C-alpha cells in the first residue's frame, strides 16, 4: 500500500492558515444538503495539508445553513497509511461518545447491526461485547484493516455501491458516525443505508455541526471541525433533516450539540430511538476492563484502553479504582517509553528541555500520545482524592506542556486533538487555582494574567469559557476562605459575566453578597446579591433535591434580611425574614440553628415580620 506524504517536517500552526472572510466573495455551488444552487458567500479559506497545500474556500448555504468546500477534491483514503492511527488508539478515539449514541435505542430490540465508515471498529466490538449483536462494518481505510486484525471484528474493506453489497438480510440498526461530512454524494450513501434497514429499522448518524464554524470557537476545536483536506460538508440541523427526508426517511430527529449533530431517522412513521435517553456508563466501563484483559499492555491499543479507564473512573469519582487504573497506565508507560510518572516535576523539566520532534513517528518514539491526558487525570486524583495540592500542581504543570507538545506535533500534518486542547487549558487554570490555599493573592493575579498570556508553543489564548469558569471557581473559594482582598480582584469580571440563572448564579451571587457585606461594607448592595441567590435556588426545577438549594436557599435569605437590617431598611428586612420563619409549602425545612439565629435577629432588631 503506497504511503502518501502529507504536510512536512515543519510544525505549522494550521489554525493560523484559517482566514475569515466578510462574505463579499461568492462561488457558484450546489448545496449537498438542500440542493440549493447558485452563488454562495465564502465564509473562510483554509490551507489543505495535502501537497501542494491549496487554499480551500468554505461557502455557506443561505437556504439551510450548511457549509461546504466546493473546490475540494476527493482524498484517496484507502491509499494512505494513516500516521494518526496510533494517535487515535491512544488518545482521541471517542469510544464513549460513540457508545453513548447507541444508548438511543433499546438494545433488546436489535439483532443485526451495520456500521458504515467504522474505522478501527471500536463500536462494532463494543456492540458485540456489551450487547451480543451480530455486527458488521464497512470501511476501505487503513485503520479498518488494522482494527479487523486487532479486534477480530467483521469489517469488509469495500465501498458500498448498493444495499445488496451489505448482504441479503436487512439490519435492525445502522450507524454512520463522522462519515457523511467526507462524502461528496451524500444522497447515494443515505439511500444505501435506507435500503439496508428493516421496515422498522433505525439509522443513527453523527457529523460535525456547521454551527461550530465561528471565529470565537477555540482553535483546536475549529481545526478539528474543518479537518482541511478531509471534511467536505458541515451540515446544519435544517440541512441534515432536509437531506434525510429527501431520500425517504419519514421520521427524523436532529440534536445540535454545538460542535456535533446527533441524528436518528427511520423510513417508518415510528422512530424507535430517543437521542435524550441517558447512557449507562457501567457497560462501557465493563467493556474497557474486558479489553484490558485481552490486549498487549504496551501496544497503542492496550495503552489507549488503560488510559480511558483511568479517565472514566476519575470522572465518576471512583477514586480507589482510579488509583489502580493510574498504576496500570504508569507501569505501561514506564515499560514502553521509560518515563517515570512518580515525579511529575522532573518530567516537566525534561519536557521543557527536550527538542520538538520533527514528525509524528519521532514523537511516538519518546512519548505516548495520551501522556498529557494521563498527567491531567493524575492531577485530579492527587487534588480531589488525596488532598495533595502541591503534587497536583506539579501534575498539571507537566500536563500543560505535554498536551501542547503533542498538539504541536499533530500540526505537522494539519491535525489536532480537541480533548488535549481542552485539558491543556484546564490544567493551566488549575495551576492558578491550587494557589488559592497557599498564595491567595498570586492565585487571583495568575488567573487574571492568563487571559493575556499565550501558550508557549502554539501561541494560543485561553478559551473564554474555560477562563470564565476558572475565575468563578477561584473567586468562590477565595471568598469561602475569607481571602476577601484577593477575591475582590476577580469580582469585576465575575459580576460582569454572571449567569442568568441556575446553580452557578446561586453560588456566585451568594459569594458576591458575602464579599460585598464583609469586605466592601455595602449592605444594601449585598442584600441584592443575596436576594438573587435565594431566587436562583427557588427557580431550580429540582429545588427539592439540588445540593445548592440545601446549602444556600435559607442562608441566602437570612443574609439578605441581615444586610437590609444593617442598611437600616427594617421593613424590607422583616419581609425577607418572614419567608424564612414562615416558609412556603414544598420547600426544604429550615435548619433549627438558622431559625434560632433568625428569631434572635428579628427580636434584637425589632423587625416587623
Amino acid at each position: 500500500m503506497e504511503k502518501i506524504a502529507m504536510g512536512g517536517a515543519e510544525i505549522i500552526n494550521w489554525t493560523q492558515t484559517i482566514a475569515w472572510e466578510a462574505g463579499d466573495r461568492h462561488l457558484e455551488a450546489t448545496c449537498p444538503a438542500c440542493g440549493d444552487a447558485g452563488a454562495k458567500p465564502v465564509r473562510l479559506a483554509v490551507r489543505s495539508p495535502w501537497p501542494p497545500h491549496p487554499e480551500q474556500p468554505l461557502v455557506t448555504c443561505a437556504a439551510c445553513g450548511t457549509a461546504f468546500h466546493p473546490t475540494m477534491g476527493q482524498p484517496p483514503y484507502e491509499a494512505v497509511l494513516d500516521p494518526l492511527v496510533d494517535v487515535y488508539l491512544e488518545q482521541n478515539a471517542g469510544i464513549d461518545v460513540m457508545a453513548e449514541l447507541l444508548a438511543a435505542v433499546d438494545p433488546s430490540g436489535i439483532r443485526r447491526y451495520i456500521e458504515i465508515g467504522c474505522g478501527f471498529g471500536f463500536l462494532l466490538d463494543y456492540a458485540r461485547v456489551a450487547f451480543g449483536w451480530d455486527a458488521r462494518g464497512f470501511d476501505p481505510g487503513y485503520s479498518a484493516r488494522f482494527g479487523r486484525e486487532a479486534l477480530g471484528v467483521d469489517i469488509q474493506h469495500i465501498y458500498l455501491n448498493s444495499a445488496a453489497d451489505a448482504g441479503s438480510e436487512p439490519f435492525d440498526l445502522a450507524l454512520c458516525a463522522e462519515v457523511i461530512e467526507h462524502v461528496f454524494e451524500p444522497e447515494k450513501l443515505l439511500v444505501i443505508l435506507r435500503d439496508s434497514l428493516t421496515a422498522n429499522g433505525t439509522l443513527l448518524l453523527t457529523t460535525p455541526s456547521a454551527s461550530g464554524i465561528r471565529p470565537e470557537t477555540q482553535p483546536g476545536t475549529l481545526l478539528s471541525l474543518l479537518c482541511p483536506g478531509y471534511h467536505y460538508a458541515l451540515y446544519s440541523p435544517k440541512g441534515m433533516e432536509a437531506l434525510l427526508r429527501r431520500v425517504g426517511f419519514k421520521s427524523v430527529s436532529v440534536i445540535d450539540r454545538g460542535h456535533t449533530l446527533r441524528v436518528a431517522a427511520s423510513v417508518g412513521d415510528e422512530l424507535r430511538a430517543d437521542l435524550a435517553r441517558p447512557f449507562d456508563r457501567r457497560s462501557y466501563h465493563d467493556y474497557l476492563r474486558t479489553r484490558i484483559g485481552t490486549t498487549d499492555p504496551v501496544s497503542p491499543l492496550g495503552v489507549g484502553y488503560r488510559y480511558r479507564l483511568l479517565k472514566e473512573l476519575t470522572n465518576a469519582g471512583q477514586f480507589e479504582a482510579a488509583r489502580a487504573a493510574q498504576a496500570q497506565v504508569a507501569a505501561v508507560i514506564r515499560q514502553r517509553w521509560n518515563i517515570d510518572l512518580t515525579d511529575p516535576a522532573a518530567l516537566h523539566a525534561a519536557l521543557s528541555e527536550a527538542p520538538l520532534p520533527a514528525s509524528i513517528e519521532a514523537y511516538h518514539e519518546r512519548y505516548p500520545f495520551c501522556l498529557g491526558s494521563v498527567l491531567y487525570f493524575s492531577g485530579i486524583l492527587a487534588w480531589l482524592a488525596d488532598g495533595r495540592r502541591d503534587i497536583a500542581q506539579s501534575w498539571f504543570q507537566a500536563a500543560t506542556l505535554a498536551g501542547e507538545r503533542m498538539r504541536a506535533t499533530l500540526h505537522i500534518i494539519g491535525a489536532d486533538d480537541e480533548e488535549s486542547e481542552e485539558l491543556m487549558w484546564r490544567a493551566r487554570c488549575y495551576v492558578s487555582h491550587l494557589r488559592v490555599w497557599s498564595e491567595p493573592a498570586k492565585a487571583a493575579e495568575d488567573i487574571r494574567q492568563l487571559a493575556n498570556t499565550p501558550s508557549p508553543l502554539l501561541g494560543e489564548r485561553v478559551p473564554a469559557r474555560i477562563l470564565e469558569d476558572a475565575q468563578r471557581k477561584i473567586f468562590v473559594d477565595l471568598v469561602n476562605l475569607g481571602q476577601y482582598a484577593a477575591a475582590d480582584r476577580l469580582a469585576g469580571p465575575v459580576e460582569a459575566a454572571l449567569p442568568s440563572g441556575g446553580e452557578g448564579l446561586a453560588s456566585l451571587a451568594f459569594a458576591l453578597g458575602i464579599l460585598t457585606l464583609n469586605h466592601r461594607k455595602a449592605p444594601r448592595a449585598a442584600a441584592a446579591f443575596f436576594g438573587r441567590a435565594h431566587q436562583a435556588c427557588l427557580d431550580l426545577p429540582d429545588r427539592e433535591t439540588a445540593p445548592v438549594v440545601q446549602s444556600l436557599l435559607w442562608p441566602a435569605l437570612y443574609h439578605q434580611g441581615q444586610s437590609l437590617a444593617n442598611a437600616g431598611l427594617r421593613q424590607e428586612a422583616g419581609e425577607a425574614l418572614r419567608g424564612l420563619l414562615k416558609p412556603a409549602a414544598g420547600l426544604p425545612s429550615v435548619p433549627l440553628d438558622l431559625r434560632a439565629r433568625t428569631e434572635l435577629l428579628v427580636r434584637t432588631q425589632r423587625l416587623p415580620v
Side-chain angles (χ1 to χ4, degrees):
M1 186 178 293
E2 178 187 2
K3 181 174 182 177
I4 297 179
M6 295 177 62
E10 181 184 2
I11 293 180
I12 300 172
N13 188 339
W14 289 87
T15 62
Q16 294 181 4
T17 74
I18 300 171
W20 292 92
E21 300 198 13
D24 300 331
R25 182 161 63 115
H26 290 71
L27 294 175
E28 294 287 332
T30 300
C31 176
C34 69
D36 179 77
K40 292 177 172 55
V42 176
R43 183 80 189 281
L44 60 81
V46 61
R47 283 174 57 192
S48 169
W50 293 90
H53 311 301
E55 178 192 80
Q56 292 183 341
L58 184 81
V59 301
T60 302
C61 175
C64 74
T66 292
F68 60 102
H69 293 287
T71 64
M72 178 177 155
Q74 175 77 57
Y77 299 109
E78 69 277 12
V80 179
L81 290 177
D82 190 350
L84 295 176
V85 170
D86 288 346
V87 183
Y88 182 76
L89 299 182
E90 291 181 7
Q91 168 62 36
N92 67 13
I95 309 174
D96 59 328
V97 176
M98 295 184 286
E100 182 182 358
L101 186 63
L102 293 185
V105 298
D106 180 357
S108 66
I110 306 298
R111 185 176 64 87
R112 285 174 52 77
Y113 165 66
I114 183 174
E115 187 176 344
I116 308 301
C118 60
F120 192 79
F122 278 124
L123 206 55
L124 293 171
D125 190 45
Y126 173 76
R128 181 183 60 176
V129 172
F131 307 128
W133 294 348
D134 179 3
R136 171 176 288 189
F138 291 84
D139 194 312
Y142 169 71
S143 65
R145 296 176 184 272
F146 186 17
R148 176 176 179 171
E149 297 174 4
L151 297 174
V153 288
D154 181 2
I155 300 178
Q156 304 298 311
H157 308 297
I158 61 172
Y159 287 108
L160 288 183
N161 294 309
S162 70
D165 293 337
S168 58
E169 187 177 354
F171 295 85
D172 306 299
L173 177 66
L175 178 71
C176 189
E178 308 302 304
V179 171
I180 200 167
E181 64 271 14
H182 299 268
V183 177
F184 286 75
E185 297 180 289
E187 289 189 28
K188 180 179 177 181
L189 171 64
L190 292 173
V191 166
I192 292 172
L193 287 167
R194 179 199 68 193
D195 293 345
S196 300
L197 290 168
T198 63
N200 296 315
T202 300
L203 167 65
L204 297 176
L205 183 150
T206 66
T207 189
S209 172
S211 66
I213 307 302
R214 304 186 305 273
E216 58 269 26
T217 297
Q218 58 195 72
T221 301
L222 182 60
L223 190 64
S224 297
L225 288 171
L226 291 172
C227 198
Y230 283 101
H231 287 179
Y232 167 63
L234 302 165
Y235 293 89
S236 68
K238 181 178 179 180
M240 177 55 65
E241 182 169 354
L243 175 60
L244 287 163
R245 292 192 183 280
R246 192 164 67 251
V247 300
F249 286 94
K250 295 179 182 178
S251 304
V252 179
S253 174
V254 182
I255 294 178
D256 189 346
R257 303 186 78 178
H259 299 148
T260 302
L261 296 183
R262 301 185 70 185
V263 183
S266 173
V267 294
D269 294 326
E270 180 185 2
L271 182 58
R272 297 184 176 181
D274 179 3
L275 294 171
R277 182 177 289 137
F279 173 42
D280 184 353
R281 303 187 79 90
R282 289 175 298 181
S283 63
Y284 175 55
H285 297 175
D286 290 343
Y287 167 73
L288 292 176
R289 292 187 179 98
T290 297
R291 279 290 166 249
I292 284 172
T294 63
T295 54
D296 178 1
V298 298
S299 68
L301 185 59
V303 172
Y305 277 135
R306 285 160 177 79
Y307 154 62
R308 289 178 178 87
L309 185 60
L310 166 63
K311 176 175 72 172
E312 282 291 316
L313 295 174
T314 304
N315 285 338
Q318 299 178 26
F319 294 144
E320 184 175 349
R323 286 192 190 94
Q326 180 195 30
Q328 283 192 336
V329 174
V332 168
I333 290 176
R334 178 188 286 275
Q335 181 182 352
R336 168 66 175 81
W337 288 277
N338 195 30
I339 295 174
D340 182 5
L341 295 190
T342 64
D343 191 347
L347 178 57
H348 179 263
L351 287 166
S352 301
E353 297 170 0
L356 288 172
S359 68
I360 288 180
E361 292 82 1
Y363 176 93
H364 202 216
E365 283 295 314
R366 300 191 63 175
Y367 311 105
F369 291 109
C370 59
L371 178 60
S373 299
V374 169
L375 295 172
Y376 173 88
F377 287 104
S378 297
I380 296 294
L381 280 176
W383 184 3
L384 301 184
D386 302 330
R388 294 295 307 275
R389 300 188 188 103
D390 53 340
I391 300 299
Q393 192 171 52
S394 294
W395 284 116
F396 289 132
Q397 287 171 329
T400 295
L401 187 53
E404 190 172 21
R405 285 179 65 90
M406 193 273 279
R407 291 184 57 221
T409 306
L410 295 185
H411 279 211
I412 292 174
I413 63 166
D416 210 325
D417 180 60
E418 184 177 346
E419 182 182 48
S420 293
E421 180 188 29
E422 176 86 8
L423 299 187
M424 178 191 84
W425 283 113
R426 292 203 176 276
R428 289 192 74 178
C429 290
Y430 288 154
V431 170
S432 299
H433 196 158
L434 286 163
R435 291 193 170 105
V436 164
W437 290 268
S438 58
E439 303 173 281
K442 186 168 178 54
E445 182 59 24
D446 282 358
I447 202 66
R448 281 169 53 89
Q449 291 299 322
L450 184 57
N452 302 313
T453 307
S455 62
L457 298 182
L458 297 176
E460 295 174 350
R461 302 284 181 174
V462 58
R465 62 178 180 82
I466 293 179
L467 178 63
E468 190 175 275
D469 180 58
Q471 287 176 330
R472 290 171 172 176
K473 291 175 179 176
I474 291 173
F475 171 76
V476 170
D477 279 343
L478 287 170
V479 171
N480 288 338
L481 290 169
Q483 298 291 341
Y484 297 142
D488 205 21
R489 305 186 70 176
L490 297 178
V494 167
E495 186 176 353
L498 274 178
S500 58
E503 295 185 10
L505 175 60
S507 61
L508 289 168
F510 187 85
L512 282 164
I514 293 293
L515 180 73
T516 304
L517 180 65
N518 295 341
H519 181 66
R520 296 177 173 176
K521 308 301 182 183
R524 187 189 295 260
F529 283 124
F530 290 127
R532 293 183 69 179
H534 179 71
Q535 189 60 51
C537 290
L538 291 176
D539 291 342
L540 287 172
D542 57 343
R543 66 184 188 186
E544 294 184 9
T545 58
V548 72
V549 174
Q550 302 295 323
S551 60
L552 294 184
L553 176 68
W554 299 123
L557 193 56
Y558 172 82
H559 281 87
Q560 182 187 18
Q562 182 188 46
S563 299
L564 290 168
N566 290 352
L569 302 173
R570 296 177 63 257
Q571 186 67 36
E572 291 87 341
E575 291 176 1
L577 295 175
R578 188 181 305 123
L580 193 151
L581 295 175
K582 300 176 182 179
L587 296 180
S589 59
V590 179
L592 294 179
D593 62 328
L594 188 59
R595 184 178 183 89
R597 288 169 59 196
T598 303
E599 291 171 345
L600 178 62
L601 178 63
V602 168
R603 187 168 60 253
T604 57
Q605 296 291 324
R606 298 185 179 183
L607 300 178
V609 295

